[in-house]
Amino acid sequence: MMKMMTQLWSTMAGLMFFTVTFRQCNPKEFLGEIQTYLNKLLVYLNPYIEITFHEHQENSWYERSKAYAYIQRYLSTHSSKSIKKFKANVGKDCESVVLSIDDYQEVTDEFNGVKVWWTSGKTTLHSNNDDLEKRYYKLTCKRRHRDFVTKVYMQHVLDEGKAIRVRTRQRKLYTNNKSENWYGYQRTMWSHVVFEHPSTFDTLAMDPKKKKEILNDLITFSRSKDYYKKEGKSWKRGYLINGPPGTGKSSMIAAMANFLEYDIYNLELAFVKDNTELRKLLINTSSKSIIVIEDIDCLFDLMGQRKEKKEGSKEEEKDPIATKAKAEKDRDKKGSEGTLSGLLNFIDELWSTCGSERLIVLTTNYVENLGLSLTRKGRMDMHIEMSYCCYETFKVLAKNYLNVESHELFATIGRLLEESNITPADVAENLMPKSDEDNVETCLNKLIKSLEDAKGEAKLET
């Protein structure tokens, strides 16, 4: 034993001496070339190959990879029982829990007799005092199965993952965050909650003829993928919804989202500084979504396109405080002009091709104050006017809130609706029972009184 140990130490000492001497006698460039060839030899001799799927597109922090999302769904249903760490999300309608493997876990999968291994991981980058996490899935397979894995197996994974995602998809309502809260990582651009608005076209208080026209337009759009591709146009459509407050603009958007099963991205332009931020936000929206910009006329207000009364005097303008306020207003105006140009570019120019099957919905209380550059066809393809309550709209609300389709007081209400302006929201407030003592007749009489009061106020104003 002592003799063997002596020989071993002698051999190790000889190798160390040879290594040190070799390094001293050869330049670093030569050693680097040897290392490169050794690495190539190891790769050549390695019987396995690895394919990495990153969470985000290459060279992009804000565009999420669809392949990564589909793989995540696929592995959530093919996880090995040996996995001990999972991530959990509540599934569609809160009826199930969707599991996905946690970081640094391994899943073994077999398809048509070919075995592969999936590993989840992440890398952390340090930038501007922030930790940026880049997640990925790594696929390992034998070299001889490369063509089968890349052409057959991966297509199977993506197709099944996409189908699982559709089945378990839970629709969301998003709103954008201020750019200073992004911290360079795309998940903080948008915050979301589960979208559970109950509005549908059946419950929407609107003239049935207009409602049917909108429904037919949505159905045609949802079935027109091939048509848009044939015409060389991006698969999107613009809707401009205008009307006084309380006429149901938000309910219309919710009904559209529920009908098409789309997500909603409520874009707050006040939080957007310039076109670059706007493009990052819009690119980070998903397909099958509605991008909503409410009260678009306020943006035109900020840009000075609506007539405003001049306030203050020349002396006040010379005041330092007034001067500072004016400078801040001019800066906001300049930023708004840039944001508007970026919005128009996204609606119908090159950036509109980033994504598909989207609706862009703008709402306004003052459609007459919007410029033709925004309202023309091709940008806002369909204009929807949400007006004051008419008799047909009232009957829908009576059915919704009181479950009645006819009553002897309907005739009186119909006559008063023609003589006064009242919003569907005000009508609904009167029809909604407030206590157990309220019945159909009580609620209808409350509505009649409100209509008579509105009629009297209208006469006083004239």
Side-chain angles (χ1 to χ4, degrees), residues 95-138:
E95 294 179 353
S96 61
V97 176
V98 179
L99 298 178
S100 59
I101 60 175
D102 203 353
D103 298 327
Y104 310 116
Q105 301 295 303
E106 184 177 284
V107 174
T108 301
D109 191 24
E110 186 171 343
F111 181 71
N112 289 353
V114 175
K115 184 179 291 187
V116 298
W117 296 266
W118 288 97
T119 305
S120 61
K122 67 179 179 180
T123 57
T124 303
L125 304 178
H126 303 282
S127 176
N128 298 327
N129 298 322
D130 296 322
D131 292 336
L132 310 180
E133 295 180 343
K134 297 185 67 174
R135 286 180 167 80
Y136 61 85
Y137 287 113
K138 183 178 291 183

Side-chain angles (χ1 to χ4, degrees), residues 23-34:
R23 287 181 177 179
Q24 290 178 347
C25 296
N26 293 278
K28 293 183 179 179
E29 293 78 6
F30 180 71
L31 294 175
E33 290 183 5
I34 293 179

Side-chain angles (χ1 to χ4, degrees), residues 219-421:
I219 293 171
T220 302
F221 169 79
S222 64
R223 297 174 178 174
S224 300
K225 179 180 181 179
D226 294 336
Y227 169 78
Y228 280 90
K229 184 177 181 180
K230 177 184 175 182
E231 295 296 321
K233 299 170 62 178
S234 58
W235 191 11
K236 55 87 184 172
R237 191 160 178 80
Y239 292 83
L240 177 64
I241 306 178
N242 69 281
T247 52
K249 296 188 290 295
S250 297
S251 296
M252 168 61 73
I253 296 170
M256 295 167 73
N258 285 327
F259 179 74
L260 295 172
E261 295 188 348
Y262 282 7
D263 293 326
I264 294 180
Y265 289 85
N266 195 336
L267 179 61
E268 291 284 351
L269 288 178
F271 292 166
V272 182
K273 294 180 180 179
D274 51 37
N275 289 344
T276 301
E277 288 187 5
L278 181 64
R279 283 194 293 268
K280 289 182 179 181
L281 284 167
L282 294 175
I283 289 174
N284 198 44
T285 60
S286 63
S287 298
K288 291 184 177 293
S289 63
I290 302 178
I291 299 173
V292 179
I293 304 175
E294 296 183 296
D295 299 324
I296 189 64
D297 52 284
C298 293
L299 183 62
F300 281 77
D301 273 343
L302 192 58
M303 291 174 59
Q305 294 193 15
R306 289 179 62 181
K307 294 181 180 179
E308 298 179 354
K309 294 182 180 180
K310 293 183 179 181
E311 299 179 358
S313 61
K314 293 182 179 180
E315 289 75 13
E316 290 176 334
E317 291 181 1
K318 294 179 181 179
D319 184 72
I321 298 177
T323 303
K324 182 178 179 182
K326 184 177 183 299
E328 291 177 353
K329 183 176 180 180
D330 291 341
R331 184 172 62 252
D332 291 340
K333 176 180 174 180
K334 183 177 180 180
S336 299
E337 290 173 349
T339 302
L340 179 61
S341 68
L343 176 62
L344 297 181
N345 289 337
F346 184 82
I347 290 177
D348 65 350
E349 296 186 16
L350 290 177
W351 286 98
S352 65
T353 60
C354 299
S356 62
E357 201 171 355
R358 285 195 183 107
L359 299 184
I360 300 173
V361 179
L362 309 182
T363 71
T364 178
N365 297 334
Y366 306 99
V367 68
E368 65 276 4
N369 294 317
L370 300 181
L372 291 176
S373 61
L374 184 62
T375 60
R376 69 169 175 81
K377 296 295 183 182
R379 282 179 174 161
M380 293 295 105
D381 303 288
M382 187 174 190
H383 293 195
I384 302 174
E385 182 179 1
M386 307 295 291
S387 57
Y388 291 105
C389 190
C390 64
Y391 183 63
E392 294 297 328
T393 302
F394 156 73
K395 289 198 296 183
V396 175
L397 292 171
K399 175 67 175 176
N400 292 343
Y401 288 93
L402 301 176
N403 198 27
V404 294
E405 298 182 0
S406 63
H407 194 276
E408 58 184 9
L409 294 177
F410 275 24
T412 303
I413 293 173
R415 176 179 55 81
L416 289 172
L417 285 171
E418 295 177 356
E419 300 172 353
S420 59
N421 289 333

Side-chain angles (χ1 to χ4, degrees), residues 33-236:
E33 290 183 5
I34 293 179
Q35 184 67 41
T36 301
Y37 283 115
L38 286 175
N39 291 337
K40 289 182 179 180
L41 180 63
L42 291 175
V43 171
Y44 179 77
L45 296 176
N46 187 0
Y48 297 94
I49 63 170
E50 295 179 347
I51 306 173
T52 302
F53 299 86
H54 291 282
E55 184 177 8
H56 300 99
Q57 300 287 1
E58 187 176 358
N59 300 324
S60 174
W61 280 104
Y62 47 84
E63 187 176 1
R64 197 166 190 261
S65 169
K66 291 183 180 179
Y68 180 91
Y70 296 156
I71 292 170
Q72 186 179 48
R73 292 298 188 186
Y74 176 84
L75 295 180
S76 69
T77 59
H78 293 76
S79 297
S80 171
K81 293 182 179 180
S82 62
I83 297 296
K84 300 186 182 300
K85 291 184 179 182
F86 293 90
K87 297 176 184 178
N89 288 306
V90 179
K92 189 175 182 180
D93 299 325
C94 299
E95 294 179 353
S96 61
V97 176
V98 179
L99 298 178
S100 59
I101 60 175
D102 203 353
D103 298 327
Y104 310 116
Q105 301 295 303
E106 184 177 284
V107 174
T108 301
D109 191 24
E110 186 171 343
F111 181 71
N112 289 353
V114 175
K115 184 179 291 187
V116 298
W117 296 266
W118 288 97
T119 305
S120 61
K122 67 179 179 180
T123 57
T124 303
L125 304 178
H126 303 282
S127 176
N128 298 327
N129 298 322
D130 296 322
D131 292 336
L132 310 180
E133 295 180 343
K134 297 185 67 174
R135 286 180 167 80
Y136 61 85
Y137 287 113
K138 183 178 291 183
L139 169 64
T140 304
C141 66
K142 292 185 177 180
R143 184 185 296 275
R144 66 175 182 270
H145 297 147
R146 173 177 175 173
D147 290 340
F148 175 82
V149 169
T150 56
K151 296 177 181 179
V152 180
Y153 173 72
M154 278 309 307
Q155 191 60 49
H156 162 73
V157 171
L158 296 178
D159 290 342
E160 187 166 340
K162 183 178 181 180
I164 296 171
R165 191 182 187 192
V166 170
R167 291 197 303 268
T168 60
R169 177 172 175 261
Q170 190 170 37
R171 291 184 297 116
K172 299 172 183 177
L173 173 62
Y174 294 86
T175 186
N176 56 298
N177 299 320
K178 293 182 179 180
S179 58
E180 51 263 31
N181 297 327
W182 292 358
Y183 298 117
Y185 192 49
Q186 63 90 27
R187 290 187 301 177
T188 60
M189 288 184 181
W190 295 96
S191 298
H192 70 267
V193 295
V194 177
F195 180 70
E196 296 178 330
H197 199 290
S199 178
T200 65
F201 277 96
D202 291 333
T203 62
L204 192 63
M206 189 179 188
D207 183 90
K209 291 182 180 180
K210 290 184 179 180
K211 190 186 300 185
K212 185 176 180 180
E213 181 182 355
I214 297 168
L215 272 171
N216 289 338
D217 191 81
L218 292 172
I219 293 171
T220 302
F221 169 79
S222 64
R223 297 174 178 174
S224 300
K225 179 180 181 179
D226 294 336
Y227 169 78
Y228 280 90
K229 184 177 181 180
K230 177 184 175 182
E231 295 296 321
K233 299 170 62 178
S234 58
W235 191 11
K236 55 87 184 172

Side-chain angles (χ1 to χ4, degrees), residues 428-442:
E429 182 64 24
N430 284 282
L431 294 179
M432 185 184 300
K434 303 297 192 302
S435 66
D436 295 337
E437 298 177 356
D438 288 344
N439 53 33
V440 173
E441 190 167 345
T442 303

